[in-house]
Amino acid sequence: MSAISLAKETLCPPCAPPMDFLTALQKKFPDLPDAEEISKDEDLMKFFQVTEKTSKKKKTTPEERRGVYDGGKCDARVWHEKKGTGGLGYDDIQCSLKKVEGGCFCKRHGKMHSEGTLWTGVINEPRPETPTKPDGTVMVWSTDAEGNDIVKEKKKKSSSKKATKKKKAVKKKSADDLSIDELMLLLKKKQEEEKEPDEGSAEGSPEGSEGGVGAGVDPEKDEDEDVDEDEEEDIYLMKEIDGVSYQINKEDKTVIRVDDFEIVGKWDVDEEEIVFNEEE
């Protein structure tokens, strides 16, 4: 390889042509022209010119594609949850993938259509009024048949759970808070209990008998079972994008495809979309 070819391949495009480099290059390879002559070579100097980087085309969000039909894209309607509706979905978003040559759908939606499992329907046809997944899960659109927004009612917690919380909030009185009559009554009750055999002692029910300690009654366990399960925060969020179900970890934003439980990328909270791994 000649010295000029080597310089063309190794020098970075953003650099300006440094004369000291050209001078050193000429000294290293005496057969080359002098530095001044090399710097005037237009074919060589174009490798030193600064090239403008082409801006990356911004990917449109599903919301930006609402109501827009692209004849070159798959004709399948895709499910995308409307933010803040508690699981209701748009009915006017087209699949963003290209059509298979000679067909109306992308490869995945074409297979679903042929198998009769394209539950979201075709974008240029009336929507299915009761969209039902192949597993029987019934979904709801974010608008009614007339295009009016639907507001999903929030579930009310049962009164029994509220009563349990209220019961837990009651603070037990201390001896200092009791009146003289309450103290006397408590003392009398205590004296009566000391006179009678303890049901859990050897004179009463033996340990392990019905109602005694060891008979399957675990006070600590019973107390744990009273914990309101609604207070435990679910760390996972389910999303369905372009007909594919994903599980999103709210803590580290990891996205798992439900079909094969494969980690496919990270959830972008600001853009509300999946940033897929490079292999995806």
Side-chain angles (χ1 to χ4, degrees), residues 80-81 234-241 244-258 261-269 272-276:
H80 183 75
E81 182 179 326
D234 188 1
I235 64 172
Y236 292 102
L237 175 66
M238 299 301 297
K239 286 283 184 183
E240 180 153 346
I241 301 173
V244 180
S245 297
Y246 298 95
Q247 179 177 278
I248 303 170
N249 189 307
K250 293 182 179 179
E251 294 180 351
D252 59 11
K253 311 305 177 187
T254 300
V255 180
I256 299 175
R257 186 168 49 221
V258 176
F261 292 99
E262 181 180 351
I263 298 176
V264 298
K266 291 283 187 177
W267 179 250
D268 189 325
V269 178
E272 291 191 354
E273 64 179 15
I274 300 173
V275 180
F276 288 97

Side-chain angles (χ1 to χ4, degrees), residues 72-90:
K73 302 294 184 181
C74 170
D75 284 344
R77 178 186 288 105
V78 294
W79 180 270
H80 183 75
E81 182 179 326
K82 182 179 178 180
K83 186 177 180 181
T85 61
L88 307 184
Y90 293 111

Side-chain angles (χ1 to χ4, degrees), residues 152-204:
K152 189 175 182 181
E153 294 184 2
K154 295 183 179 180
K155 293 183 179 180
K156 296 182 178 179
K157 293 185 179 180
S158 62
S159 57
S160 60
K161 290 180 179 179
K162 289 183 178 179
T164 302
K165 290 182 178 180
K166 187 175 181 181
K167 185 178 179 181
K168 289 181 180 179
V170 176
K171 184 178 180 181
K172 188 176 180 181
K173 284 186 176 181
S174 65
D176 295 335
D177 298 328
L178 297 175
S179 65
I180 296 177
D181 293 337
E182 289 175 330
L183 287 170
M184 294 300 292
L185 182 62
L186 183 63
L187 179 60
K188 183 178 179 181
K189 185 178 179 181
K190 184 67 176 177
Q191 289 174 344
E192 290 176 354
E193 289 177 353
E194 290 178 354
K195 291 179 181 180
E196 297 177 0
D198 188 359
E199 292 182 0
S201 64
E203 295 179 10

Side-chain angles (χ1 to χ4, degrees), residues 89-240:
Y90 293 111
D91 66 351
D92 56 356
I93 300 179
Q94 180 185 5
C95 175
S96 61
L97 302 178
K98 292 182 179 180
K99 293 178 179 178
V100 175
E101 187 175 355
C104 298
F105 304 96
C106 63
K107 185 176 180 181
R108 179 165 56 85
H109 285 126
K111 181 180 179 182
M112 293 174 67
H113 185 263
S114 63
E115 294 175 350
T117 59
L118 187 58
W119 59 277
T120 50
V122 182
I123 193 64
N124 47 16
E125 294 180 1
R127 72 182 190 181
E129 288 305 321
T130 308
T132 306
K133 293 182 179 181
D135 62 2
T137 304
V138 178
M139 308 297 285
V140 182
W141 301 115
S142 62
T143 55
D144 59 20
E146 285 73 32
N148 301 314
D149 290 337
I150 295 176
V151 179
K152 189 175 182 181
E153 294 184 2
K154 295 183 179 180
K155 293 183 179 180
K156 296 182 178 179
K157 293 185 179 180
S158 62
S159 57
S160 60
K161 290 180 179 179
K162 289 183 178 179
T164 302
K165 290 182 178 180
K166 187 175 181 181
K167 185 178 179 181
K168 289 181 180 179
V170 176
K171 184 178 180 181
K172 188 176 180 181
K173 284 186 176 181
S174 65
D176 295 335
D177 298 328
L178 297 175
S179 65
I180 296 177
D181 293 337
E182 289 175 330
L183 287 170
M184 294 300 292
L185 182 62
L186 183 63
L187 179 60
K188 183 178 179 181
K189 185 178 179 181
K190 184 67 176 177
Q191 289 174 344
E192 290 176 354
E193 289 177 353
E194 290 178 354
K195 291 179 181 180
E196 297 177 0
D198 188 359
E199 292 182 0
S201 64
E203 295 179 10
S205 303
E207 183 176 350
S209 64
E210 184 177 358
V213 178
V217 179
D218 188 347
E220 294 184 359
K221 183 177 180 181
D222 291 343
E223 184 179 350
D224 291 341
E225 290 177 351
D226 289 337
V227 177
D228 187 0
E229 294 180 358
D230 288 347
E231 294 178 0
E232 296 181 3
E233 181 182 5
D234 188 1
I235 64 172
Y236 292 102
L237 175 66
M238 299 301 297
K239 286 283 184 183
E240 180 153 346

